Amino acid sequence: MKFKKFMRTYRPFTRAGMLESVAYRANFICFLLGEIMSCFIMFFVWKAVFNSTSGQDFMGFSMNDMVVYLFITFLTGYLTYSDGTYAIATEIRDGSIAMRMIKPCSFDMCFLFQELGNKIFNVLVIFTPIVVGVEAYKWVITGSCQFNVVNFLLYVVSLILAYLISFYFNVSYGFMAFYLKNLWGADILKECIVNFLSGATIPLAFMPPFLASVLSFLPFSSLSYTPVMIYMGMYSPFEIVYKMLFQVFWLAVMILISKLVWRHAVKRLCSQGG
Amino acid sequence: MGRMFRLHRIFVAQYMKNLMEYKVDFLTGAISFLIGQIVQIATIGIIFSQIPDLEGWGFNEILFIYGFSLIPKGIDHLLFDNLWSVGYFIVRKGDFDKYLTRPINSLFYVIAEKFCVDAFGELFMGIVLIVYSLIQLKLTLTWYMIPLFIVAVVFATLIYTALKIGTSAIAFWTKASGHITHMVYMTNDFSKYPTTIYNKVVRTLITYVIPFAFTAYYPASYFLGKGEPLFCIGGTVIAAVVLMFISVCIWNRGIKAYESAGS
């Protein structure tokens, strides 16, 4: 019963988000093409790196692994991306956040369901082509189909956890941006740091051992590195369980932080016009 | 021309007052860009800790190319950033009326209005990388390389600006074109590495279609003693002039097609 009411409250937000993303589909596709360019740049850089190394492998990765890594990392980054920072900071600035506060629904849930609606279109447009493309590439290179259903399903679970961590992290950071004022700068700062710390720019395995072990304990590796490694089948069953529990742990921490920040910020909030 | 310079000074002074009001803003922006670059350089550093060279290019040479790429990009970012707003919202909201009703050239007005100090992060990093890599490489520079360097930087900057002018002018017909500018602009990352690592399609694209290779790799390879001056520096000049000509034509036609927004 409770669940039904919950869904009835939040479904309209999902619908609105979905319509929004379909309305701006041309923008979305152009953006996607712009962003995926960086994947191709890194593809050529890695190809040159592999040409310059004497052996077949580069620190345990073959060129084949590297291609899978690049594109699945891109996909993971895109699907776990959350616009919370910008959306919240903008709403605080122009005062429209007041409208959210007078509605009889939870603040973060509204955002979450709206963004999920936004994601549906993204998933349709990029998820299937990238996964099929990557698998086809592996098939052509190795000569046999290597698609692993179990790893794939575990990847999806881990991806959802990663998205939720990212969402709550961005909600918290959105309030930070409120203090920092320069939204755009603060957002770019966050992107760069998170991409590096989460192993999206370069696999954690390539980093100096000390740095890698520190980073694997921070929440960022849960955002990208964990799901990607699961997809690639780099983890043993024990490691998968361990890493996923780790994701759940950081999700709980992020939810807690976002609630605390929200409570603190509401007291300070001084809406302008609205 | 003199009038334009005087006006530009007034605009900058105006903007500087604005900036002093928001010091934290400025620091966040500049530091963000600085850290963004440091992260990318750390990535290159990690790769090079495992390999002696990248298809014949050493670590310091790559740093030089990378550093060079940041200078024109940073200058364009500093002076011509307002063009992004044209494609994203100025035209869509009908705010472009303002630029047409003033007694100065609309393109000049759009450009001069804003001054983006976030770019100092990029410029600072670019200079540091160039100086560092030059010391490490122990390159001997001849006197005429300094004017050539300035020429290369100026025209490389114009390549960025011209691409932004041309793509944002599309908004005069389509109402919004920020995403097209973004798509074209993102190809600039290809110029940070030697074009020899790419395949033929990409190399042709970034040399002749969207000539970002002339904003960094070609001029930089000349200064590293690995490129023909005529092609590397001359190409930059020609690419910039041709692109600028096309872009200004698109802009001027676009203004004629511009219809203000409804409300």
Side-chain angles (χ1 to χ4, degrees), chain A residues 27 30-31 34-35 37 41 44-45 48-49 51-53 58-59 180-182 184-185 189 192 196 201-202 206, chain B residues 25 28-29 32 36 39 43 46-47 50-51 53-55 88 179 182-183 186-187 189-190 197-199 202:
Chain A
N27 293 14
C30 280
F31 261 108
E35 297 295 322
M37 218 90 86
I41 296 172
F44 287 111
V45 171
V49 169
N51 284 344
S52 302
T53 43
F58 184 83
M59 302 183 91
L180 290 173
K181 290 211 179 96
N182 187 336
W184 195 62
L189 178 67
C192 290
F196 188 72
T201 326
I202 192 164
F206 291 7
Chain B
D25 243 47
T28 327
S32 303
V39 163
T43 309
I46 290 171
I47 294 176
Q50 303 298 325
I51 53 169
D53 62 300
L54 193 68
E55 302 212 329
Y88 274 118
H179 48 282
H182 175 82
M183 189 171 75
M186 285 303 280
T187 37
D189 279 339
F190 278 109
I197 69 169
Y198 305 120
N199 66 15
V202 176

Side-chain angles (χ1 to χ4, degrees), chain B residues 29-30 33 73-75 77-79 116-124:
Chain B
F33 274 90
K73 191 179 179 184
I75 298 176
H77 187 176
L78 182 70
L79 299 175
C116 192
V117 284
D118 292 358
F120 282 120
E122 279 165 336
L123 286 172
F124 173 74

Side-chain angles (χ1 to χ4, degrees), chain A residues 59 204-217, chain B residues 46 49-50:
Chain A
M59 302 183 91
L204 296 184
F206 291 7
M207 291 186 184
F210 173 71
L211 187 63
S213 58
V214 170
L215 290 184
S216 67
F217 279 106
Chain B
I46 290 171
S49 67
Q50 303 298 325

